Amino acid sequence: MVDIKPYTIAVDDHHLEDLKTRLSLAKFPDELDQAGWDMGAPLADVKRLAKYWQDSYDWRNAEKELNKVPQFVTDIQCDGFEPLAIHFVHVRSKVQGAVPLLFIHGWPGHFEEVFRILTPLTEGGDGIKLPAFDVVAPSLPNFGFSEGPKKRGFAMEQYAETMNKLMLKLGYNEYVTQGGDWGCHISRALAHLYPKYCKATHLNYDSANPPEFLKNPILSIQHALTPYNPREQHGVVRSKWFDQEGRGYSQLQTTKPQTLGYGLADSPVACLAWIYEKLHDWTDSYPWMDDEVCTWVSIYWFSTAGPAASVRIYYEMIHNVDGRKDKIDQKKMRAWTPGVKLGFSHFPFDLQVRPSTWVRTLGNVVFEKEHNSGGHFAAWERPDDIVNDVREMFGKGGGAFGVVKGVTGYIS
């Protein structure tokens, strides 16, 4: 299509100079003795990363690596909102009949998370022994190199509408999704709003409520009578930790994102510390390299809408600013969705690690896999696990095999 244009990441030199200037003028707080990670990102770590970001990190080299993956931009307009230029990765498999897969990132993630699963899914599947996929990985509105709205009320309905319209514009009248964090929530919104197009979702995030007897009598009895297995026992501890020690960011971003935004937009050190804390706390001892962290945070710092825009999604999901009926909120996203098949990959160091009986209240769960390691950013931390699970769910013999009309991922 003429209005789908190739996109090359190219940050202006003056933005790079501005970043280095701001980093050189950074004023750091003090720190209590032996604070470690208990009170947030340690001072020594943030100082080291800030200095590396200023003096040694090569954004131009990072740009070169990012631009090796085919990227595009196109305008998508949600009803009642201005058109937005949406940035996305799009790689088609050479296999005719590849399954269209929409990868949806979360916060504080971005489109780069798809990079480690992109080649295995699009090229690793030969269409004979392993299924092949076409992969689309957008920058959500307000994230990465997509534009953001200027009008309030851009909530779950609009994120789902943007994703669905993008897939339809690319010629995919039916598709499947993969995601965690907001990728999970937006996939759930797609299942509620667009089941005609979104046929199945594979999720690596356990956002669900315990079964209720009146709604889920069999699951409720099973949950009451069946002891938790080791994964579920660990999940109780991990989820409790997150609820007690890790939710502060969410409360702030859900209630006062503008106030937080002044720090994120003005101070690269604030942006770095705010995101780096999550990269550390939300992963399973993943060995982050300084270059990885700097690229990850730079995508936020250089983002089209600015780093402050990315946190507004929290506010908009909770607040019904325009009084819409049947708003897609957390309660709605955790309601049963008939007709859309679900799959779950459970990782022990995610933020919410729930029992199987909980996630089975969401819909027709046709795939589940427990993993012994891994955290919140599964596609980045444990790409082989995500690839294998997606292949198993959508491949021959899988619970979602043939779910997209006319394509199976295999050569017919």
Side-chain angles (χ1 to χ4, degrees):
M1 294 184 179
V2 292
D3 60 341
I4 297 178
K5 301 175 182 178
Y7 186 88
T8 300
I9 303 169
V11 173
D12 289 341
D13 286 339
H14 72 87
H15 290 312
L16 293 174
E17 294 167 2
D18 176 76
L19 170 63
K20 291 183 180 294
T21 298
R22 290 173 186 270
L23 287 168
S24 71
L25 297 173
K27 181 178 180 180
F28 294 90
D30 64 353
E31 182 181 57
L32 297 180
D33 294 341
Q34 300 179 337
W37 282 93
D38 292 347
M39 302 178 74
L43 178 61
D45 284 23
V46 175
K47 278 187 170 181
R48 186 196 75 252
L49 284 165
K51 182 173 179 56
Y52 184 80
W53 201 8
Q54 177 188 343
D55 296 336
S56 303
Y57 175 70
D58 187 348
W59 168 253
R60 292 303 181 202
N61 184 63
E63 270 188 344
K64 182 180 178 181
E65 293 300 312
L66 292 170
N67 284 326
K68 288 180 180 180
V69 173
Q71 297 166 56
F72 305 87
V73 66
T74 191
D75 284 354
I76 301 291
Q77 184 171 13
C78 292
D79 295 342
F81 290 82
E82 71 272 28
L84 299 177
I86 300 299
H87 161 262
F88 61 98
V89 169
H90 186 199
V91 177
R92 294 184 184 271
S93 170
K94 295 179 181 179
V95 174
Q96 294 294 321
V99 176
L101 185 144
L102 171 64
F103 176 89
I104 311 175
H105 69 79
W107 185 93
H110 41 60
F111 71 96
E112 188 193 16
E113 288 181 79
V114 81
F115 280 24
R116 292 181 176 178
I117 65 173
L118 191 59
T119 298
L121 290 177
T122 58
E123 298 180 15
D126 57 6
I128 300 172
K129 292 183 178 180
L130 296 172
F133 297 85
D134 289 351
V135 175
V136 179
S139 292
L140 292 173
N142 283 323
F143 288 78
F145 302 105
S146 288
E147 292 181 337
K150 300 303 181 183
K151 178 181 175 182
R152 293 181 65 180
F154 199 96
M156 283 300 97
E157 293 86 349
Q158 284 68 45
Y159 284 95
E161 184 180 354
T162 301
M163 298 296 99
N164 189 63
K165 284 184 172 178
L166 175 62
M167 293 301 282
L168 296 179
K169 194 170 188 178
L170 293 173
Y172 299 124
N173 293 323
E174 292 184 0
Y175 56 88
V176 304
T177 73
Q178 200 291 314
D181 197 84
W182 286 108
C184 166
H185 300 321
I186 295 168
S187 290
R188 296 294 297 148
L190 286 164
H192 280 287
L193 297 173
Y194 304 104
K196 177 181 176 182
Y197 308 108
C198 177
K199 309 309 293 184
T201 64
H202 174 267
L203 307 174
N204 53 276
Y205 189 59
D206 299 344
S207 181
N209 294 323
E212 301 176 28
F213 183 77
L214 294 180
K215 294 180 179 179
N216 318 99
I218 296 176
L219 285 173
S220 181
I221 293 171
Q222 182 182 351
H223 179 254
L225 297 180
T226 306
Y228 285 172
N229 65 24
R231 178 193 75 81
E232 294 167 334
Q233 292 173 9
H234 170 80
V236 172
V237 176
R238 175 65 175 177
S239 301
K240 182 179 180 180
W241 167 83
F242 178 67
D243 288 340
Q244 293 181 346
E245 301 292 341
R247 276 196 182 275
Y249 81 96
S250 182
Q251 293 299 316
L252 184 54
Q253 292 178 181
T254 297
T255 56
K256 303 297 179 185
Q258 185 66 24
T259 305
L260 172 63
Y262 296 113
L264 297 178
D266 183 66
S267 169
V269 170
C271 187
L272 167 66
W274 194 247
I275 292 174
Y276 178 57
E277 173 203 292
K278 283 72 178 176
L279 297 183
H280 173 272
D281 285 359
W282 296 2
T283 53
D284 185 3
S285 301
Y286 178 79
W288 291 99
M289 304 297 290
D290 288 357
D291 271 324
E292 279 181 279
V293 174
C294 289
T295 297
W296 199 285
V297 178
S298 292
I299 290 174
Y300 274 87
W301 185 255
F302 295 132
S303 61
T304 299
S310 68
V311 302
R312 294 174 186 150
I313 188 172
Y314 290 80
Y315 184 95
E316 298 289 10
M317 185 185 78
I318 298 298
H319 295 84
N320 192 354
V321 299
D322 50 11
R324 67 187 63 166
K325 295 181 179 180
D326 298 320
K327 176 178 170 62
I328 300 290
D329 55 14
Q330 187 177 77
K331 181 179 179 181
K332 181 72 172 179
M333 287 188 293
R334 292 182 176 184
W336 182 272
T337 49
V340 178
K341 295 184 176 183
L342 303 178
F344 286 89
S345 295
H346 303 290
F347 292 91
F349 283 89
D350 206 341
L351 309 183
Q352 299 182 83
V353 185
R354 303 304 190 190
S356 293
T357 50
W358 289 35
V359 300
R360 290 180 178 271
T361 65
L362 300 177
N364 180 19
V365 176
V366 300
F367 174 86
E368 273 193 274
K369 181 65 68 70
E370 298 183 1
H371 295 282
N372 295 324
S373 61
H376 191 62
F377 305 98
W380 192 257
E381 292 179 74
R382 307 292 301 176
D384 291 347
D385 289 338
I386 292 294
V387 169
N388 291 334
D389 290 357
V390 167
R391 285 171 173 170
E392 185 175 342
M393 178 175 171
F394 295 104
K396 290 180 179 178
F401 173 69
V403 72
V404 175
K405 189 183 303 180
V407 296
T408 65
Y410 294 89
I411 298 172
S412 56

